[in-house]
Amino acid sequence: MPKNTLLNLSDISSLLKVNGEEFDKLLASAKQLRDEKLGNQIYLRGLIEFSNVCSKDCYYCGIRKSNKQVQRYNVSDDEVLASCRLAFDNGLGSVVLQSGECSSPAFVTRVDRLLKKIKQLSGNRLGITLSCGEQSPETYRRWFESGAHRYLLRIETSNRDLYYKIHPNDKKHSFEHRLEALYYLKYTGYQTGSGVMIGLPFQTTEHLAGDLLFFKNIDIDMCGMGPYVEHENTPLEGCRHLLRPKKERFELALKMIAVLRLMMYDINIAASTALDAIDVFGRVKAVAAGANVVMPNITPAKYRSNYLLYENKPIGNNDVLADIALLEQRIKVIGNEIGYNQWGDAKHFFKKNER
Ligand code: SAH
Ligand code: SF4
């Protein structure tokens, strides 16, 4: 299996098409490279989906603005802080604050306040990743200065034509603006993560190979990518008949993770929650394919059924610690262990800044 970083579009497309024994070999060599270069520790981030209020209308997403069936919520500051305390006390090392996209001054100020309080409650020791969509350069800077050090913003697809098949073609959903946002994040100083959905209608293997080259070209530090999963109250529901079977989307997602690991050995790759919507062992299988980050959901249980980005999204256990214990057991079975009490930053970020 090629362990070099110079794969071209056609090499990558071929790797994304392997099956059977070749598939197993690809995944195993990605895991081996991860273990060799990064060690066998897997990092956890406690994921808090703190608001499902969203001003956008992405065609694939269950909490899009126009879905009137969703009950909108904001987790209170106290509840967010209680979840962070739980993460900190149980050695999770860091949290991810995720939400719909909102850029009102009240929202920006609220996130800023939360960042400062999270830093305070943990004596600066809890790492914080944000995933709150596109914001102005000023907002990105303000949040960075208040303690966020990693930011996830998926490009969703790096192919402009496909992008506009899955988003409205208007100012609010501009492909160029999303690209620009990724650059702002990087130049603000964040460890910057991106990602795509895998198995979208109209998406070809070559589009996906292009996505991996895109990540390499913009030199991401982190990646979160997972299968596209349908949601009945979205415009893409009408394209259900065009989709690859779920199992195929799932396996393609594992191949994407494995090939990216071979291309960028020292970045952080998350095992996305959407994998678990297709296979109960989804995230662990992603770890066995080269991912090194898992994000247990620590959102207060009463809100979770209103953050259904796609169907079958796991609502998890009321008992977050039981979920984590189960995850730990499964991770041990594949020969890895959890790196407790660490931020688990992307090695890639520090290496390139040394140059
Ligand atoms: N609003 C922010 C963050 C929350 S959405 C943003 O959009 O960046 C987080 C991610 O959920 C999105 O980036 C998208 O890739 C994923 N997502 C949304 N709908 C999905 C679906 N139907 N299937 C799989 N992933 C989905
Ligand atoms: Fe909003 Fe993000 Fe869903 Fe798009 S993907 S509708 S921005 S929550």
Side-chain angles (χ1 to χ4, degrees):
M1 207 51 63
K3 279 189 192 168
N4 68 59
T5 52
L6 295 172
L7 300 173
N8 65 28
L9 193 78
S10 123
D11 300 329
I12 298 172
S13 301
S14 306
L15 285 172
L16 294 179
K17 287 175 185 158
V18 298
N19 284 310
E21 217 174 282
E22 290 299 306
F23 172 81
D24 295 339
K25 271 196 208 154
L26 171 67
L27 271 45
S29 66
K31 179 187 190 303
Q32 194 191 341
L33 184 68
R34 196 262 335 274
D35 289 347
E36 221 172 271
K37 299 283 187 186
L38 303 180
N40 82 335
Q41 289 198 330
I42 304 306
Y43 301 112
L44 299 182
R45 284 90 175 81
L47 173 64
I48 308 172
E49 298 161 335
F50 70 94
S51 168
N52 67 353
V53 178
C54 187
S55 62
K56 285 174 86 169
D57 249 332
C58 307
Y59 290 156
Y60 43 84
C61 178
I63 63 167
R64 61 199 299 270
K65 180 176 186 230
S66 297
N67 185 1
K68 302 294 178 214
Q69 316 243 9
V70 177
Q71 210 183 320
R72 302 289 163 177
Y73 70 78
N74 268 292
V75 179
S76 72
D77 281 14
D78 284 349
E79 288 170 312
V80 172
L81 295 171
S83 292
C84 291
R85 160 72 56 201
L86 178 137
F88 184 58
D89 289 347
N90 289 282
L92 263 56
S94 51
V95 291
V96 178
L97 298 186
Q98 190 182 78
S99 68
E101 191 173 304
C102 191
S103 43
S104 68
F107 178 81
V108 171
T109 302
R110 175 174 188 225
V111 173
D112 194 58
R113 183 176 64 234
L114 280 171
L115 290 168
K116 288 178 177 144
K117 286 190 176 166
I118 296 167
K119 284 285 158 190
Q120 222 170 33
L121 81 80
S122 66
N124 261 344
R125 279 181 293 161
L126 202 53
I128 311 175
T129 307
L130 288 176
S131 175
C132 304
E134 293 160 48
Q135 304 289 341
S136 68
E138 295 73 32
T139 297
Y140 284 150
R141 163 128 340 257
R142 182 170 169 196
W143 291 346
F144 184 73
E145 284 169 358
S146 295
H149 57 120
R150 298 185 291 237
Y151 203 107
L152 293 169
L153 184 76
R154 289 184 174 182
I155 190 71
E156 315 296 0
T157 168
S158 64
N159 182 284
R160 194 175 187 280
D161 290 341
L162 180 56
Y163 191 89
Y164 285 116
K165 288 199 170 90
I166 61 166
H167 297 97
N169 191 340
D170 60 24
K171 253 176 118 181
K172 208 160 184 38
H173 299 82
S174 149
F175 179 68
E176 280 68 31
H177 192 265
R178 201 153 181 96
L179 272 179
E180 232 172 60
L182 279 170
Y183 285 104
Y184 288 140
L185 286 166
K186 194 167 160 172
Y187 290 107
T188 303
Y190 286 97
Q191 291 171 55
T192 303
S194 196
V196 293
M197 282 172 288
I198 297 156
L200 287 162
F202 316 109
Q203 189 182 44
T204 63
T205 310
E206 284 65 33
H207 285 139
L208 291 167
D211 291 334
L212 296 182
L213 284 175
F214 168 81
F215 298 146
K216 176 98 184 150
N217 286 338
I218 67 162
D219 202 20
I220 54 167
D221 304 300
M222 324 182 289
C223 186
M225 54 185 172
Y228 162 70
V229 183
E230 310 85 312
H231 187 294
E232 63 176 354
N233 292 325
T234 60
L236 284 194
E237 172 67 6
C239 298
R240 218 176 245 263
H241 63 291
L242 298 175
L243 297 174
R244 298 171 195 254
K246 275 190 178 161
K247 182 169 183 283
E248 200 179 314
R249 276 178 258 162
F250 180 80
E251 288 174 355
L252 197 47
L254 296 184
K255 288 187 261 188
M256 286 284 283
I257 289 172
V259 178
L260 184 62
R261 174 60 70 203
L262 298 178
M263 293 169 69
M264 303 185 79
Y265 67 89
D266 57 358
I267 62 170
N268 276 352
I269 303 181
S272 89
T273 312
L275 291 158
D276 276 19
I278 301 186
D279 182 319
V280 278
F281 296 108
R283 288 179 303 172
V284 180
K285 288 183 181 175
V287 171
N292 68 326
V293 170
V294 183
M295 310 196 296
N297 195 339
I298 60 166
T299 310
K302 66 180 186 213
Y303 296 106
R304 294 194 198 168
S305 59
N306 285 310
Y307 202 85
L308 290 189
L309 305 173
Y310 41 81
E311 66 190 22
N312 296 331
K313 183 167 178 277
I315 303 284
N317 201 314
N318 249 339
D319 182 352
V320 170
L321 297 181
D323 281 345
I324 296 172
L326 188 62
L327 189 65
E328 177 158 31
Q329 249 175 37
R330 290 174 176 173
I331 283 178
K332 272 194 185 143
V333 170
I334 59 163
N336 290 95
E337 62 180 50
I338 289 178
Y340 283 108
N341 293 305
Q342 300 175 51
W343 284 10
D345 281 331
K347 282 217 165 62
H348 185 76
F349 177 80
F350 297 100
K351 266 216 181 125
K352 77 185 177 204
N353 288 317
E354 268 169 21
R355 275 176 220 149

